[in-house]
Amino acid sequence: MKLNLNIQPLSTWITSGKEPLVIAGPCSAETEDQLVATAHLLAKTGKITALRAGIWKPRTRPGEFEGIGSIGLEWLKRAKEETGLPTAVEVATAKHVEEALAAGVDILWVGARSTANPFTVQEIADALKGTDVPVMVKNPVNPDLSLWIGALERINNAGITKLAAIHRGFSSYGNTTFRNDPMWDLAISLKTQVPELPIINDPSHITGNRDLIGYIAQKAFDLDMQGVMIESHIDPSVAWTDAKQQVTPAALSDLIDNLTLRKAEVKSSAVNDKLAELRGKIDKIDDLIIQKVAERMTIAEQIGKYKKDNNITILQVNRWEEILKKTTDYGKALKLDAEFTEKLLELVHTESIRRQGIILNEGQDKVEEKLTHA
Ligand code: PEP
Ligand code: MN
């Protein structure tokens, strides 16, 4: 499904022309010196397109540093005057929007906690009416694509067409490798529904760990995302917020140099011919996979009828475990990841069971149909 958002191409409102697009700056503006000195070092790399800094910080727990507040806008103004870097801040209320715009902030972003709340997003959207400031919308903290899209729609409905999404990962329970699980599928799904929407990756908040930022940033560019937002602090070891994930401007510069930028499309006809040949093969295999799955479903239905006639339950755990073991072993021998094979089989098996359920409970099929299409 394609969504109808009215979006201006990124190149019309971010005109630095620098590749890759990097928005960088401290998690929080702490002092005037910290912000301005960081901005100078970032500008000196020649690789930064815009300066970010949080001045109103949405902290999950009370009692932590909640941002320096409006005074930070003056510091941002000075940083911009001295370095020429456009500035970006997070806004979470109508008052933030008004103050940021009055102070000449160039880009606003909606934070992950705000995106999760349609009341907040609507308040921000209403405050944006009549302006044409660029706005970036972070994904919500929870993995809910509709909330992300809903926030983008609300901002777009307010007349903001210089719009981008920021992919900063999703919170999950328990110990995980990343601070916020990237769940790339959700960002890819957003891209599929709104292909013209630029997506900026935020590897700092995904990883929560400066050592992994380059890895995630590379992955984002390999998935054709349009840029990155990376937290950078003049001295991360003393940062008041997100110390573990901030990098010095010098480290950021190295990180950018180590990225490999690939193109979504190339002009060379030899490359395109080879790609077309390989894609042709893939398409044929996809057709075969679907044919075979359809055949398997027909057989599953025959089994369903047979079970019905002989009064046998649909699910026989032993049989399922046997299939799972046999097939994942076979997959392993063919160099398929066991977890992948298991997921694939489970999907097919669940559909077989659903179909057999309909056969066993004839008359109930209308209920099932309604449920699956609800
Ligand atoms: C931030 O960018 O500093 C921030 C608070 O991020 P998020 O909204 O993604 O948690
Ligand atoms: Mn942060």
Side-chain angles (χ1 to χ4, degrees):
M1 195 189 70
K2 291 268 182 294
L3 274 172
N4 213 359
L5 296 188
N6 177 14
I7 292 169
Q8 288 189 48
L10 192 63
S11 57
T12 62
W13 51 275
I14 289 203
T15 50
S16 79
K18 290 193 183 106
E19 288 243 358
L21 164 63
V22 181
I23 300 169
C27 176
S28 303
E30 298 165 3
T31 65
E32 185 166 5
D33 280 353
Q34 167 253 6
L35 179 65
V36 174
T38 306
H40 274 286
L41 290 178
L42 287 170
K44 232 174 70 191
T45 67
K47 296 167 193 163
I48 307 302
T49 293
L51 174 71
R52 65 147 279 155
I55 63 169
W56 299 288
K57 301 299 298 177
R59 307 315 302 275
T60 302
R61 305 279 305 273
E64 293 175 34
F65 176 57
E66 300 209 319
I68 208 70
S70 314
I71 182 76
L73 293 171
E74 298 303 316
W75 307 344
L76 272 170
K77 214 191 253 178
R78 190 183 140 203
K80 177 177 166 179
E81 272 162 21
E82 292 183 14
T83 64
L85 288 175
T87 52
V89 296
E90 171 175 352
V91 290
T93 65
K95 191 162 172 289
H96 294 167
V97 173
E98 283 148 23
E99 286 191 33
L101 292 178
V105 171
D106 301 282
I107 301 168
L108 307 182
W109 86 79
V110 178
R113 290 158 195 78
S114 301
T115 306
N117 182 349
F119 286 125
T120 298
V121 176
Q122 193 55 53
E123 178 183 327
I124 296 170
D126 290 342
L128 287 165
K129 277 189 189 139
T131 76
D132 78 337
V133 64
V135 179
M136 300 184 169
V137 180
K138 287 203 174 196
N139 65 253
V141 276
N142 53 326
D144 184 333
L145 185 55
S146 299
L147 275 175
W148 199 3
I149 290 174
L152 288 157
E153 284 174 329
R154 284 177 198 276
I155 308 277
N156 197 224
N157 288 345
I160 300 297
T161 53
K162 297 168 182 167
L163 198 58
I166 301 179
H167 171 229
R168 53 78 79 194
F170 303 86
S171 68
S172 46
Y173 185 68
N175 289 335
T176 48
T177 318
F178 299 116
R179 178 178 176 193
N180 291 293
D181 189 336
M183 300 189 189
W184 298 99
D185 297 9
L186 273 97
I188 292 169
S189 189
L190 178 66
K191 187 88 200 153
T192 317
Q193 292 186 49
V194 203
E196 69 279 21
L197 178 73
I199 302 186
I200 312 285
N201 182 259
D202 175 347
S204 307
H205 288 92
I206 288 179
T207 61
N209 172 352
R210 68 177 69 83
D211 297 334
L212 300 173
I213 291 175
Y215 167 75
I216 292 293
Q218 183 63 57
K219 221 165 158 170
F221 284 116
D222 290 346
L223 288 171
D224 200 25
M225 293 197 180
Q226 274 63 52
V228 283
M229 178 187 263
I230 297 180
E231 288 186 340
S232 178
H233 189 291
I234 189 164
D235 184 357
S237 68
V238 297
W240 297 359
T241 56
D242 289 353
K244 286 194 213 129
Q245 71 192 34
Q246 302 211 54
V247 290
T248 61
L252 178 59
S253 178
D254 288 347
L255 192 155
I256 297 168
D257 287 343
N258 285 324
L259 292 169
T260 306
L261 295 184
R262 300 178 171 95
K263 297 178 186 64
E265 272 154 33
V266 288
K267 292 213 170 65
S268 149
S269 57
V271 174
N272 284 326
D273 288 353
K274 183 71 194 166
L275 261 182
E277 181 200 324
L278 293 171
R279 284 180 174 156
K281 285 187 188 170
I282 289 260
D283 290 351
K284 276 200 193 111
I285 294 176
D286 285 347
D287 286 353
L288 278 175
I289 292 174
I290 293 297
Q291 274 170 32
K292 290 291 165 196
V293 170
E295 262 176 48
R296 191 190 190 283
M297 292 304 160
T298 313
I299 297 174
E301 284 183 350
Q302 285 169 11
I303 296 179
K305 286 197 188 81
Y306 193 73
K307 283 177 179 169
K308 182 177 185 176
D309 295 345
N310 293 282
N311 247 341
I312 307 174
T313 58
I314 301 175
L315 180 68
Q316 279 113 19
V317 177
N318 293 348
R319 165 77 181 138
W320 168 232
E321 279 172 353
E322 184 193 308
I323 295 180
L324 205 56
K325 164 104 184 55
K326 188 172 55 85
T327 317
T328 47
D329 282 352
Y330 183 48
K332 270 192 230 159
L334 297 178
K335 302 218 165 6
L336 287 178
D337 178 68
E339 200 182 320
F340 164 77
T341 313
E342 200 172 314
K343 265 196 206 151
L344 187 65
L345 269 182
E346 252 164 27
L347 202 63
V348 173
H349 185 241
T350 309
E351 175 64 4
S352 293
I353 290 200
R354 188 186 72 83
R355 285 170 173 245
Q356 291 190 353
I358 293 174
I359 290 169
L360 255 71
N361 300 296
E362 253 170 279
Q364 292 280 316
D365 52 346
K366 294 282 171 300
V367 181
E368 293 271 345
E369 288 284 288
K370 264 192 207 143
L371 283 174
T372 46
H373 294 111

